[in-house]
Amino acid sequence: MDKETRQMLCGMNDRKYSDFSSSLIPGADNIIGIRLPVLRKMARKLAAEKGRSALSDEEDIYFEETMLRGMIIGYLKLSTQERLELIRSFIPEIDNWSVCDSFCCTLKFPQKDIPLVLEFIKPYAYSDKEFEQRFAAVMLLRFFVNDEYIDGTLSLLSEINTEAYYSSMAVAWTAAECYIRFPVQTLPYLRDAGFDRETQKRAVRKICDSFRVDRESKEMLKKL
């Protein structure tokens, strides 16, 4: 991020919030301490006023700079192909769950381009890198847990390597949402080892925490 933007971010330092955020994001020792709504407002403003020039080539120093960069990519007015190219260049910068999830939640695509987005994320589902795996799982959750894609989503989701903690958690989160919305299609994957044992248990726990699933179904799932 450029020096001017960095100075603006540092000027909004909140030490208490920095300490709190650091406790939730292991390995992130470069947090200024700025709340997400503030970063989102700033990202929208920079995207509107500066366009792509808001994405400076300077290396990010702080957590919030990387977070802001991802948000700007989401808010810029771009074609889907242009946005996917920026996403491809940004993904190697993702090194924690917070940046990954906030980035994915900022992205929007025209409905007609959703098949193109699916093809884009497939290689990341087969990646051996933890946060590329998580990116794929969260993108599946974000755009592909629906009538049209549920079968393909479950199939691709079960291919993600979940040895790493944050990829396992993302797959479990997505699998839980798949079951909540499409129990008939999802149950075989949960029951017949579509996911590894630990991810299966995490998914079941998330399902059992949901108010959208009846008690009988929860009891059945616990027996898995």
Side-chain angles (χ1 to χ4, degrees), residues 2-78:
D2 62 73
K3 292 179 181 178
E4 181 183 356
T5 304
R6 183 174 297 144
Q7 287 175 348
M8 289 172 60
L9 289 169
C10 290
M12 293 184 276
N13 172 274
D14 181 337
R15 183 58 185 273
K16 255 187 164 179
Y17 190 68
S18 173
D19 292 342
F20 171 72
S21 297
S22 296
S23 70
L24 298 177
I25 308 171
D29 55 1
N30 59 343
I31 298 177
I32 297 170
I34 303 173
R35 297 177 187 275
L36 284 180
V38 176
L39 284 174
R40 289 198 181 281
K41 184 177 179 181
M42 189 174 179
R44 287 191 185 95
K45 187 171 186 292
L46 288 169
E49 293 180 355
K50 293 188 175 184
R52 290 184 66 153
S53 66
L55 300 170
S56 166
D57 291 333
E58 292 188 38
E59 186 176 350
D60 295 337
I61 296 175
Y62 296 106
F63 165 85
E64 282 84 356
E65 291 181 271
T66 306
M67 184 74 83
L68 188 67
R69 186 185 298 275
M71 290 177 177
I72 290 170
I73 291 171
Y75 293 137
L76 285 171
K77 292 183 178 179
L78 301 166

Side-chain angles (χ1 to χ4, degrees), residues 195-222:
F195 307 107
D196 69 83
R197 184 67 172 162
E198 193 58 43
T199 301
Q200 178 199 51
K201 286 160 65 175
R202 287 169 175 153
V204 168
R205 282 197 294 268
K206 286 179 179 293
I207 294 167
C208 290
D209 287 340
S210 174
F211 293 111
R212 292 177 286 167
V213 179
D214 62 75
R215 184 180 297 178
E216 287 184 3
S217 296
K218 290 178 181 180
E219 291 303 317
M220 176 271 296
L221 289 168
K222 288 177 182 177

Side-chain angles (χ1 to χ4, degrees), residues 9 28 31-32 50 59 62 66 88 98-99 118 127 132 141 153 155 162 164 174 211 215:
L9 289 169
I31 298 177
I32 297 170
K50 293 188 175 184
E59 186 176 350
Y62 296 106
T66 306
R88 181 178 284 110
S98 183
V99 167
L118 179 59
S127 170
E132 290 188 0
L141 173 62
T153 292
S155 178
T162 51
T174 305
F211 293 111
R215 184 180 297 178

Side-chain angles (χ1 to χ4, degrees), residues 2 80 94 96 115 136 157 166 168-169 176 184 216 222:
D2 62 73
T80 295
I94 299 174
N96 63 74
L157 193 65
Y166 287 105
S168 176
M169 290 298 290
V184 173
E216 287 184 3
K222 288 177 182 177

Side-chain angles (χ1 to χ4, degrees), residues 98-121:
S98 183
V99 167
C100 179
D101 297 4
S102 294
F103 176 55
C104 293
C105 288
T106 306
L107 298 174
K108 294 181 181 178
F109 300 95
Q111 190 59 39
K112 65 181 178 65
D113 292 336
I114 290 299
L116 179 63
V117 176
L118 179 59
E119 291 306 307
F120 176 83
I121 68 173

